[in-house]
Amino acid sequence: MAARLVILGGGPGGYVAAIRAAGLGAAVTLVERARLGGTCLNRGCIPSKIMKTAAEHLEAVRNAGSFGLVVEGEARLDPAALQERKERILESQRRGIAGLLKKNKVRLVQGEARIEEGRVLVVRSPEGEETLSWDRLIIATGSRPLQISAFPFDGRRILSSDDALSLKEIPRSLVIVGGGVIGCEFACIFSSFGTAVTVVEALARPLPLPSVDEDSSKILLREMKKRKIRFIARRVVARVEEADGGLAVQLGPSPFVPDAGKAPADSVLTAEKLLVCVGRVPNTKGLGLAALGVETDGKGWIRVNDRMESSAAGVYAIGDVLGPERVMLAHVASHEGIVAAQNALGGSEVMDYGAVPGAIFTTPEVAGVGLTEKQASEDGWEVRSDTFLFRNIGKSQVIGEIAGQVKIVSERGTGRVLGVHMIGPRVTDLITEGVLAVQTECSVSDIARSIHPHPTLSEVMQEAAYKALDRGIHG
Ligand code: NAD
């Protein structure tokens, strides 16, 4: 009899694991309480990129004059039309996932699952209850936005990232708490829509993640300033009060940095709305993990080994539910899902996080893979790093997007590529070459002798590689 594999959660971790497991011959049931596609499709990557695309088109029309075009009349956003477009795309993507599950003979059960003792779980839905037995279980229940208890989400003035994706009107002013990935992406989107945006970040720079190159943060800060986004570092929001039809937002020193920096002159900001993006919490509460003895950390994130197996034999976990100690990204969840499915069905695969690309959809975009200069030096590598500016290639000038650079971090002597870090136009697409370089441990000379097409943005990689060989051509 085929192994019975049950997967909890139909996001990019769970549904990919389901398809892979079905391909390996298991009898697969996928349980989902809401809509297929998880955070990524319904409240994350895809809807935010739909907003970003609208923002980019709006700016392109506003800048049409600089391309020799005449556009008459004012270009502006129609939030209702944007929401309609979003719903249309999401619905077609959800139908696509449902079709893939069907084609692969994965059974979809809609409802809320609770794990019971004895390798069974109960799924409750408005239609009733169903009990499922399993031989192997994969938990892919994801995460949701973390709220600050002093000013919890109300969906009206104090927004989560979920709320920000569904606004019927664009706020005139917005304070964003948290200058991490979500905060910086929304700052750029809303400023393109005409909102006056202020970001309050507890640490010292935008995108203060160890995986983000410090130069990328500096350039992003400069570009944000040009776009009139105010970025206040080393501060937290201490208190929020309703005032004059808006909010009074009281700032305070950050407990997360030793040097609290120079306090801004105005420590109370006013804004129509506040958007809180300070991280996420796991969807593990009420699942019944204790019945199986699945170990979690103090915050509820599930602990797994490098084969994605939890402390309970036969129970695997993947995706956001593993928390920020792993990498909370959709493409990582999918990869973990494949590893977990293969291991659940007799394989012996190890999840490798060495070449995970980061892709951040700010304006300009930020992307990276492998080690930063700082991380490589700390790990004991003899490092050199070589940068090349977008402004020095023809295609950048042609499209009118010249801000940014690519940096290749390599081992001195051998030229082995240890990391690639980019900020600039379309770098979330361009980073894939860096992923291949880091994954295959190739050298800067491999990149230099690979002919890159002209005129394209990809030329920055070849030019940076020439520089790493001390024979730069265009800069
Ligand atoms: P994050 O960890 O990227 O950023 C949170 C930021 O808030 C940090 O910079 C932190 O220093 C700051 N912060 C924390 N408490 C604060 C406070 N009280 N006041 C001010 N600042 C405070 O988290 P996020 O932006 O909420 O994103 C959540 C997850 O979603 C991340 O794991 C991220 O990788 C993922 N995500 C990824 C993408 C992408 O890759 N394009 C897009 C969206 C979300």
Side-chain angles (χ1 to χ4, degrees):
M1 200 177 81
R4 292 165 305 175
L5 179 77
V6 173
I7 298 173
L8 302 184
Y15 87 74
V16 169
I19 292 171
R20 182 70 196 115
L24 291 169
V28 185
T29 305
L30 179 71
V31 184
E32 171 56 59
R33 67 179 173 190
R35 292 190 283 194
L36 283 172
T39 299
C40 167
L41 177 55
N42 298 293
R43 298 172 300 281
C45 319
I46 301 297
S48 62
K49 261 80 269 173
I50 291 170
M51 284 177 84
K52 174 176 151 71
T53 304
E56 282 173 347
H57 284 299
L58 184 59
E59 290 206 7
V61 177
R62 284 182 180 152
N63 293 335
S66 61
F67 292 88
L69 303 173
V70 178
V71 177
E72 281 166 9
E74 188 206 355
R76 61 188 166 78
L77 178 75
D78 175 349
L82 175 62
Q83 289 300 323
E84 263 174 48
R85 175 168 197 265
K86 180 185 97 175
E87 282 312 320
R88 237 188 358 263
I89 295 172
L90 302 196
E91 188 48 36
S92 93
Q93 293 292 104
R94 285 191 287 260
R95 271 205 306 274
I97 299 172
L100 285 173
L101 294 176
K102 199 166 169 201
K103 187 173 131 207
N104 285 281
K105 303 196 171 39
V106 173
R107 183 172 171 238
L108 175 64
V109 175
Q110 293 275 179
E112 179 103 28
R114 191 182 157 78
I115 298 165
E116 309 274 338
E117 275 173 37
R119 301 211 158 201
V120 289
L121 53 88
V122 178
V123 183
R124 289 189 183 86
S125 72
E127 281 78 51
E129 247 182 46
E130 178 175 350
T131 302
L132 299 172
S133 305
W134 51 270
D135 302 310
R136 298 281 184 272
L137 183 67
I138 298 179
I139 301 169
T141 48
S143 66
R144 61 184 187 285
L146 167 68
Q147 61 180 352
I148 295 180
S149 55
F151 39 92
F153 301 133
D154 63 12
R156 194 176 59 87
R157 291 219 180 266
I158 301 188
L159 310 177
S160 68
S161 54
D162 295 0
D163 302 321
L165 293 166
S166 302
L167 290 178
K168 295 196 169 58
E169 279 173 30
I170 299 304
R172 284 184 306 284
S173 55
L174 181 67
V175 169
I176 299 181
V177 191
V181 180
I182 299 184
C184 287
E185 286 189 0
F186 273 124
C188 295
I189 290 171
F190 280 106
S191 85
S192 299
F193 289 161
T195 304
V197 178
T198 304
V199 182
V200 181
E201 164 57 48
L203 298 180
R205 59 177 175 129
L207 306 177
L209 311 162
S211 58
V212 173
D213 181 69
E214 291 190 13
D215 278 357
S216 297
S217 291
K218 268 187 210 141
I219 296 169
L220 179 63
L221 183 61
R222 183 190 78 202
E223 294 303 312
M224 284 170 120
K225 270 189 189 147
K226 282 191 202 160
R227 307 170 69 81
K228 310 234 169 354
I229 296 169
R230 187 169 176 212
F231 193 92
I232 302 176
R234 299 185 172 96
R235 285 286 173 283
V236 294
V237 170
R239 213 172 47 239
V240 182
E241 279 165 11
E242 300 233 357
D244 301 331
L247 296 172
V249 179
Q250 167 90 53
L251 304 186
S254 168
F256 305 112
V257 277
D259 164 22
K262 197 166 162 281
D266 50 343
S267 58
V268 181
L269 311 172
T270 53
E272 193 180 318
K273 292 186 195 290
L274 187 82
L275 170 58
V276 180
C277 327
V278 294
R280 302 182 65 87
V281 288
N283 291 330
T284 43
K285 214 171 147 199
L287 256 186
L289 295 180
L292 295 175
V294 173
E295 205 180 293
T296 57
D297 72 4
K299 293 183 173 158
W301 306 108
I302 298 179
R303 293 217 164 108
V304 292
N305 60 22
D306 57 10
R307 300 175 63 253
M308 311 315 299
E309 192 169 16
S310 74
S311 55
V315 180
Y316 296 77
I318 58 172
D320 274 16
V321 80
L322 305 179
E325 268 189 31
R326 301 270 168 156
V327 191
M328 295 169 71
L329 295 173
H331 45 280
V332 174
S334 299
H335 207 83
E336 290 170 339
I338 290 171
V339 170
Q342 292 181 170
N343 288 339
L345 298 167
S348 181
E349 288 227 14
V350 165
M351 178 67 201
D352 178 5
Y353 295 93
V356 170
I360 304 172
F361 295 82
T362 41
T363 311
E365 294 178 347
V366 174
V369 63
L371 302 175
T372 62
E373 261 172 295
K374 193 162 171 250
Q375 289 171 326
S377 304
E378 282 166 7
D379 285 1
W381 293 93
E382 276 284 318
V383 181
R384 74 173 276 171
S385 83
D386 295 273
T387 56
F388 188 84
L389 304 179
F390 274 97
R391 64 167 58 246
N392 292 340
I393 54 166
K395 185 64 183 284
S396 250
Q397 298 288 345
V398 168
I399 66 171
E401 294 181 52
I402 57 170
Q405 64 176 33
V406 56
K407 179 186 284 186
I408 300 182
V409 179
S410 62
E411 184 186 22
R412 198 173 278 283
T414 68
R416 177 176 158 184
V417 178
L418 302 171
V420 176
H421 299 275
M422 301 174 155
I423 174 165
R426 305 289 159 197
V427 298
T428 55
D429 292 315
L430 298 177
I431 194 62
T432 313
E433 181 175 358
V435 177
L436 197 62
V438 173
Q439 180 68 47
T440 59
E441 299 180 8
C442 84
S443 71
V444 284
S445 61
D446 292 320
I447 296 175
R449 64 194 166 81
S450 305
I451 300 173
H452 287 59
H454 176 75
T456 66
L457 296 171
S458 74
E459 290 168 76
V460 288
M461 275 296 277
Q462 192 170 19
E463 295 283 352
Y466 285 146
K467 282 184 81 175
L469 294 167
D470 294 319
R471 50 185 179 88
I473 305 279
H474 291 97

